[in-house]
Amino acid sequence: MIRVRLANQRGHAQHGWLDSHHSFSFANYYDPNYMGFSDLRVINDDWVAPGSGFDTHGHRDMEIITYVLEGTIAHRDTMNNVSQLKAGEVQVMSAGSGVMHSEYNASQSERLNFLQIWVLPNVAGVEPSYAQQDFSALSGINRIVSPDGSEGSLAIRQDASLYQVRLEQEAQSFTTAKDRLYYLQVAHGELSVNGVTMSAGDGAYIAEEDRLSFETATSVDALLFELRGH
């Protein structure tokens, strides 16, 4: 089963400095039919104006993954992390017992585009943590986030994995795991998965597919979530 939700069906918020599309209910956008999928709670496709950003604010008990598509994020938090993330870099922040942070567009002339992803944790109230890594040199299908941080991936506190799907005029396949659910988010380009065509901004709920066959005639950047079945 592959069920696509088109990009223009997502929630939308326009704040002047921020243009955001919500795959699931978030802030003022609420739809009881789209409250998340398994432990995946939020995918926000954010465009931030030059020199603008999110002032210092707090989170707790959430695994927050940031995937930069265009531009550079300037990050600062109460764990004493001061960093920048460029396109192709990924940040994981386990908010745990509580953390404050800010995120700004580091450029005064170019827009910033990133996906901010929230995954529900499997433990509450633990010490917060932070990590980032550059995956821009990878091609094909690679696991970039996992429960244990194995094989060079970043670790989160949940039985979930995130795969980067980056293909260039090619086809590749992915063998799914039994009793797992999958969610595919296309960031750039067009992609066919098991014969179903998807474009940038589209998402797909995937279940009971033994294998996923990906194909693109141009180039594509997408994220594949492997989640617990319920």
Side-chain angles (χ1 to χ4, degrees):
M1 183 277 293
I2 299 177
R3 179 168 63 89
V4 174
R5 189 183 189 203
L6 299 177
N8 61 11
Q9 296 173 333
R10 297 176 296 176
H12 183 225
Q14 174 58 257
H15 300 290
W17 65 272
L18 172 66
D19 186 8
S20 183
H21 286 85
H22 310 312
S23 295
F24 306 109
S25 294
F26 184 84
N28 293 328
Y29 166 63
Y30 173 74
D31 187 327
N33 295 314
Y34 296 100
M35 295 300 298
F37 188 50
S38 180
D39 298 305
L40 176 60
R41 178 60 187 84
V42 166
I43 302 178
N44 289 344
D45 186 354
D46 290 341
W47 286 90
V48 179
S52 299
F54 299 88
D55 291 332
T56 301
H57 59 285
H59 297 283
R60 64 178 299 125
D61 293 329
M62 192 66 70
E63 304 298 289
I64 301 172
I65 304 167
T66 302
Y67 187 83
V68 185
L69 297 167
E70 294 182 24
T72 302
I73 293 177
H75 169 93
R76 183 183 296 267
D77 64 44
T78 49
M79 293 179 284
N80 297 318
N81 295 297
V82 179
S83 62
Q84 292 198 345
L85 292 92
K86 297 181 179 180
E89 290 193 89
V90 178
Q91 174 196 96
V92 168
M93 189 171 66
S94 294
S97 59
V99 64
M100 304 286 288
H101 78 134
S102 62
E103 294 169 301
Y104 276 87
N105 184 346
S107 173
Q108 297 297 318
S109 59
E110 303 293 332
R111 288 204 303 167
L112 164 68
N113 182 212
F114 64 94
L115 299 179
Q116 180 150 110
I117 298 151
W118 292 6
V119 176
L120 299 171
N122 56 19
V123 61
V126 297
E127 183 178 355
S129 64
Y130 176 94
Q132 72 180 70
Q133 190 164 326
D134 186 354
F135 295 104
S136 61
L138 296 180
S139 61
I141 303 173
N142 296 278
R143 186 161 69 163
I144 59 175
V145 175
S146 71
D148 57 5
S150 62
E151 300 176 353
S153 61
L154 297 171
I156 59 171
R157 295 181 172 116
Q158 184 52 269
D159 182 15
S161 292
L162 173 58
Y163 293 83
Q164 178 181 265
V165 181
R166 185 170 287 167
L167 305 177
E168 194 82 27
Q169 298 182 14
E170 60 184 307
Q172 286 200 27
S173 63
F174 177 91
T175 301
T176 62
K178 187 178 180 181
D179 300 326
R180 302 288 274 183
L181 298 173
Y182 294 83
Y183 190 87
L184 180 66
Q185 180 71 38
V186 179
H188 286 160
E190 290 193 352
L191 178 68
S192 170
V193 53
N194 290 6
V196 177
T197 300
M198 299 177 64
S199 300
D202 293 350
Y205 299 83
I206 302 172
E208 299 177 353
E209 298 281 338
D210 294 332
R211 178 178 293 270
L212 302 178
S213 297
F214 298 109
E215 186 173 357
T216 179
T218 54
S219 62
V220 71
D221 191 353
L223 296 178
L224 177 67
F225 297 84
E226 183 177 271
L227 306 161
R228 295 188 302 157
H230 291 297

